[in-house]
Amino acid sequence: MKKSLMWSADVDPDVVEADEFEPILAVDGDEPSTGEMDLAERASLRRVSGLSTELADITEVEYRQLRLERVVLVGVWTEGDAAHAEASLAELARLAETAGSEVLEGLIQRRDRPDPGTYIGSGKVRELRDTVVATGADTVICDGELSPGQLRQLEDKLKVKVVDRTALILDIFAQHARSKEGKAQVELAQLQYMLPRLRGWGDAMSRQAGGRAGANGGVGTRGPGETKLETDRRRIHKRISKLRKELHAMRTVRDTKRGRRETNAVPSVAIAGYTNAGKSSLLNALTGAGVLVEDALFATLDPTTRKAVTPDGRPFTFTDTVGFVRHLPHQLVEAFRSTLEEVAGADLLVHVVDGAEAAPHEQVTAVREVVAEIAEEHRDSMPPELLVVNKIDQVDGTRIAELRRLLPDAHFVSAHSGDGIEELRAEVAERLPRPDVFVDVLIPYTRGDLVARAHTEGEIVEEEHTPEGTRLRAKVRTDLAGVLQQFVGVG
């Protein structure tokens, strides 16, 4: 029976001390990984189109793919060529499908800039309304962020629900967030998005009375005082404040764990890249982490940290981060700041690119824009970047040659087939920081623990056993050099 070694999925992903990472022996076919169980749970409840009576009383499930919405997509082409606009709308379609929708039609409007009133212009709105009626769609998704006025006008004219790109991405994040921190981050981003879009003078709304009710306000101004709109706005502000305090406390815990790694001088590698580029698959291939892998956008949101060892025995960590996308909503960048700081604090950034994508250079640009924003926030330079093109098993030789010309410094791998993984592992080990303090010490035999640390954490140049103890000439980190200082006396 085939066996494989992997790290326990029950370990806190942020804790990286060696004694807390206990490998478990999993038997293929008997013990599924955490990722496989998560994937099975997501696929366990799906609606079969055409068989449901659409009753109002539907059992609620955690993964919201039970009810599929029928959507029409619309985008505004303001710059670039037609292929760029079509690629952006195709990505929007994949986002809609990931959120659990059925895409019926897609329209693109060529304009110098989006219409300030209706996003696509009054003529296109009438055409879009005809398309909605003809297809029987119940939702329209716009490939851009709509202002509150645009959102309201479109819903008034189209008579169906209107969602913009930002709200769609936030909905996907809400479906896929699993950890307490991830759920809090997504809720904060949703509330920040929702706050300026509260609207309406519905039946439950009540106008405020000006001064003494009935004195100078006149007919139509009397009421209990605060409007429901103001009440909702105040509640959202209170909830945002509470979430920020909770995230600040979680950030303190994350910073403490990160500081412990830095104190122990454990090198760290952050895996970043476009969504669905294969970051989780690459982490599984390099460390056997067993995290969830799914052919969907933003399948995994919570960062996962796993320990690894270089071929010469040096320990380091791999951290899988949240995926990026074109025009990533600024609310998400703000809410996930503590998670994205894993990128800023790493010693090496492994930038994963989807080799099967038609325009990989655009994905590279989108990721680097977000990374640059993080660097600007920290007022620091980002770690060295190692570009990795994944999914080479899905493209032919001609395409690979084209990608090599387009991305000459990249490493080409396939996390699925294993091609290039060993070469990538060696390249990562080569780029990690090495011990840089040279010591020449005579360690007594009673301190064999220090000799073991020097072998594990440093690079031994020469070792000699003498009657007084073990003489070591080695390169070690600064913290270990300080401990060995008392034994300096030879050479």
Side-chain angles (χ1 to χ4, degrees), residues 202-424:
D203 295 336
M205 302 298 177
S206 174
R207 298 178 183 271
Q208 290 181 337
R212 199 170 44 167
N216 299 314
V219 177
T221 63
R222 304 179 184 87
E226 190 177 30
T227 65
K228 186 177 184 304
L229 191 64
E230 290 299 325
T231 303
D232 292 342
R233 191 173 287 133
R234 176 166 45 83
R235 288 177 177 174
I236 290 177
H237 276 298
K238 290 178 64 177
R239 182 60 180 166
I240 288 177
S241 178
K242 182 179 179 181
L243 286 172
R244 282 178 172 163
K245 290 179 181 178
E246 293 178 356
L247 287 172
H248 181 74
M250 297 176 193
R251 180 176 181 176
T252 302
V253 174
R254 183 180 292 277
D255 290 343
T256 301
K257 294 177 180 179
R258 188 185 301 119
R260 192 163 56 201
R261 295 198 297 262
E262 293 173 354
T263 301
N264 295 332
V266 178
S268 61
V269 178
I271 303 177
Y274 212 78
T275 179
N276 206 36
K279 299 183 298 300
S280 298
S281 299
L282 189 63
L283 179 68
N284 288 343
L286 290 170
T287 66
V291 298
L292 181 143
V293 173
E294 184 180 8
D295 186 16
L297 305 185
F298 301 112
T300 53
L301 300 180
D302 301 316
T304 303
T305 300
R306 291 294 182 265
K307 183 181 176 183
V309 180
T310 62
D312 55 356
R314 290 177 292 144
F316 68 100
T317 62
F318 270 113
T319 300
D320 180 20
T321 61
V322 65
F324 301 137
V325 73
R326 296 183 187 95
H327 313 300
L328 188 67
H330 62 86
Q331 294 96 343
L332 285 175
V333 176
E334 174 66 27
F336 279 76
R337 188 165 303 281
S338 61
T339 302
L340 296 174
E341 284 175 357
E342 296 289 346
V343 175
D347 295 294
L348 178 66
L349 175 62
V350 175
H351 183 171
V352 184
V353 183
D354 186 353
E357 176 65 25
H361 58 284
E362 294 183 4
Q363 294 189 354
V364 172
T365 301
V367 172
R368 286 175 175 170
E369 286 177 354
V370 179
V371 169
E373 182 179 343
I374 301 170
E376 184 179 355
E377 175 71 19
H378 285 265
R379 299 179 181 178
D380 195 5
S381 59
M382 293 305 293
E385 180 188 75
L386 174 60
L387 203 60
V388 177
V389 177
N390 192 21
K391 303 183 183 181
I392 60 173
D393 57 317
Q394 299 182 15
V395 296
D396 55 21
T398 304
R399 178 58 177 167
I400 292 178
E402 182 181 348
L403 289 172
R404 290 187 185 277
R405 289 193 300 272
L406 186 64
L407 305 170
D409 298 328
H411 285 257
F412 291 77
V413 303
S414 170
H416 178 71
S417 66
D419 294 340
I421 294 297
E422 290 302 322
E423 292 80 359
L424 175 60

